[in-house]
Amino acid sequence: MKNLFHKLPGFAADYSGAMLAVSHMRCLRILHGQGGCSGGVCTCDDYESETDDWRTLFSKISEIETITGNDEKLVEMIADASDSMDPDWVLLLGSPIPMIIATDYRAIASKVEMKTGKPALFVDTTGIETYDVGEKKVYRAMIERIKRVAHSDVQKHGSVYVVGDTPLNGWTEKMREAYGRDILRNADGAVEVIFTGGGMAYSVEGKEDQLIIRKTDMNDWKTIGCSSLNIAVSASACGAVKTLNKTFGTPYKCFGTGQAWENLGVLEDPQLEAGEIQAFSNVKILLVGEQFLMNNLRRYLRKNLGARDVTIAGFFAFHEEFAEDGDKKLNDEDDYLSFLGSTGPYDVVIGDPVLQPMGGYLRSFISCPELALCSRLLTRELPVLYGKNIGEIIATGQCNGDCNR
């Protein structure tokens, strides 16, 4: 009964992570299985559905067709959709029932590729693992594909690729634009920043550094191994940039370490200038969320607010090499409650509002929604955790805490 949640909602599943990692590419995404899984993606996890250029096709095959493995019907369905939508490529994803009968996704993807003439990738998602696992799998599949088509003599000088900037990892359009500007402003030789999760590339021109934005496509992914630099902005993308480094020799950096041009100047924070944020110098703080964004937030609290005792915990991808003593990878709500019991109470907890009823804080709980935890049903807007407005959630949370007291 350890994985039975009483207080927390179900986490975003692996197929959601895989889908949203490519949501802004010209990709026809196929979720193979019956219709129940589609609601989890469309209703709960697809935060940027209004700006998503490509919709997902759900096979919704019958139970008997699933059990007997009627692959030809699925292939014909995908071919018809490909003819009408003309995607650059096709991504086939799995769900629980096809997993149980050991569906041969590789064979189906091969048939689809021969039928449509489009590159077809498969990712053996199951709906059982969490979204970060799905992201890792789709990055791995795409890198394996570009190994076959990459040109070793092509070099994209001045191009910086950002990997892992998906809504499930906490990234928004405002954050991408702010980070893109910082890279272009501070990284020597950077002429274009390509955000693979957001589907946008940023560059500047003119004396006033006017920002130029273009949409990206599969061709950008094909040349990611030839870029000047790759940056992982989430823990789930860390393995991808390391693999690209090992395969193509492409340099990489990881966000949240202070080594990837994260601009956290005090004078650029309106909330600090206005005196809206109280100091945290003698406060014990717990941050719960995506590891790399929380590392960046910890740096902000220490540099700008004098915080010293700051611990990070998270339910999803987690790397010990980027953790400090006391940081913790959590598995479920029992794990979180045990962690609070052994390390708490904290003066301040900053995390998704679904965690607030579980306690563990003495002074205040500051809401910082995490889409993979609370879903789109419980949050209408993700917090801005990068750029000049990073202090908004702190100022708002402190004000709410004072009112509550």
Side-chain angles (χ1 to χ4, degrees):
M1 301 295 285
K2 182 177 177 60
N3 292 322
L4 179 63
F5 289 7
H6 300 280
K7 299 179 176 64
L8 296 182
F11 298 155
D14 53 358
Y15 46 69
S16 290
M19 283 188 191
L20 300 188
V22 301
S23 62
H24 292 286
M25 300 182 188
R26 288 179 53 85
C27 171
L28 175 59
R29 299 163 295 176
I30 314 296
L31 180 55
H32 181 40
Q34 294 182 293
C37 300
S38 62
V41 179
C42 297
T43 307
C44 301
D45 301 327
D46 195 355
Y47 183 76
E48 293 180 323
S49 59
E50 291 77 10
T51 59
D52 184 351
D53 297 328
W54 288 84
R55 296 295 180 259
T56 300
L57 174 66
F58 300 97
S59 61
K60 293 185 179 179
I61 59 176
S62 68
E63 184 175 346
I64 189 63
E65 287 171 334
T66 304
I67 294 172
T68 57
N70 190 353
D71 296 343
E72 292 304 322
K73 182 175 181 179
L74 176 61
V75 172
E76 289 296 330
M77 183 187 304
I78 298 172
D80 290 343
S82 178
D83 287 342
S84 62
M85 300 178 70
D86 191 28
D88 287 341
W89 60 294
V90 177
L91 177 64
L92 178 63
L93 303 164
S95 60
I97 294 179
M99 174 203 65
I100 293 173
I101 64 171
T103 298
D104 189 350
Y105 294 111
R106 185 184 302 276
I108 297 175
S110 179
K111 291 180 180 180
V112 168
E113 189 158 329
M114 288 188 291
K115 185 81 172 178
T116 64
K118 307 286 186 181
L121 279 66
F122 74 94
V123 177
D124 58 341
T125 50
T126 63
I128 296 174
E129 298 179 289
T130 51
Y131 86 92
D132 51 303
V133 177
E135 285 192 0
K136 292 175 185 177
K137 287 182 176 181
V138 78
Y139 293 145
R140 190 181 308 123
M142 294 175 75
I143 292 171
E144 287 297 319
R145 183 75 183 199
I146 64 174
K147 283 182 184 179
R148 295 155 48 183
V149 298
H151 300 286
S152 59
D153 57 337
V154 175
Q155 186 67 35
K156 295 187 68 174
H157 296 289
S159 62
V160 178
Y161 279 72
V162 177
V163 187
D165 57 299
T166 68
L168 286 172
N169 285 320
W171 281 82
T172 66
E173 186 175 345
K174 288 182 180 179
M175 293 166 61
R176 295 182 191 113
E177 181 175 332
Y179 189 41
R181 286 184 180 274
D182 284 343
I183 295 173
L184 291 168
R185 186 184 301 121
N186 300 311
D188 291 339
V191 296
E192 187 176 48
V193 182
I194 298 99
F195 285 83
T196 62
M200 294 292 180
Y202 298 89
S203 58
V204 294
E205 71 174 12
K207 295 181 179 180
E208 297 181 357
D209 288 345
Q210 179 183 355
L211 195 65
I212 306 300
I213 305 174
R214 71 169 177 88
K215 284 194 172 185
T216 62
D217 54 30
M218 188 59 176
N219 289 324
D220 288 292
W221 249 105
K222 289 179 181 178
T223 56
I224 192 172
C226 308
S227 66
S228 296
L229 178 71
N230 296 323
I231 301 176
V233 294
S234 66
S236 58
C238 186
V241 298
K242 288 183 176 180
T243 300
L244 289 165
N245 172 260
K246 184 177 180 180
T247 305
F248 300 103
T250 313
Y252 72 91
K253 292 181 180 292
C254 292
F255 180 86
T257 61
Q259 305 300 316
W261 304 288
E262 303 95 323
N263 188 358
L264 297 176
V266 174
L267 297 180
E268 295 191 10
D269 194 321
Q271 283 73 34
L272 285 173
E273 290 181 346
E276 297 176 1
I277 303 179
Q278 305 168 19
F280 277 156
S281 55
N282 296 309
V283 177
K284 184 179 180 182
I285 304 171
L286 173 64
L287 308 179
V288 185
E290 199 283 319
Q291 186 186 21
F292 282 18
L293 279 181
M294 292 302 103
N295 276 340
N296 194 55
L297 182 57
R298 174 159 57 188
R299 292 180 59 248
Y300 169 87
L301 295 174
R302 286 175 172 169
K303 180 178 180 180
N304 295 357
L305 301 182
R308 298 174 184 173
D309 189 355
V310 185
T311 303
I312 291 174
F315 292 96
F316 306 108
F318 192 89
H319 295 274
E320 291 295 338
E321 63 182 298
F322 302 110
E324 296 185 2
D325 291 342
D327 292 355
K328 175 72 172 178
K329 165 68 168 72
L330 304 169
N331 296 315
D332 49 45
E333 68 178 42
D334 288 342
D335 209 11
Y336 180 61
L337 290 170
S338 298
F339 177 74
L340 291 177
S342 60
T343 63
Y346 293 85
D347 295 304
V348 176
V349 173
I350 301 177
D352 192 280
V354 299
L355 299 172
Q356 185 171 4
M358 303 173 76
Y361 59 94
L362 299 173
R363 176 171 149 185
S364 62
F365 184 98
I366 296 178
S367 174
C368 182
E370 184 178 9
L371 184 63
L373 191 59
C374 67
S375 86
R376 198 173 63 159
L377 296 176
L378 301 179
T379 181
R380 294 185 177 181
E381 186 173 1
L382 291 177
V384 178
L385 292 175
Y386 185 84
K388 64 182 181 180
N389 298 113
I390 191 173
E392 285 183 350
I393 61 166
I394 309 297
T396 302
Q398 288 181 337
C399 178
N400 291 340
D402 292 338
C403 292
N404 291 337
R405 291 199 303 274

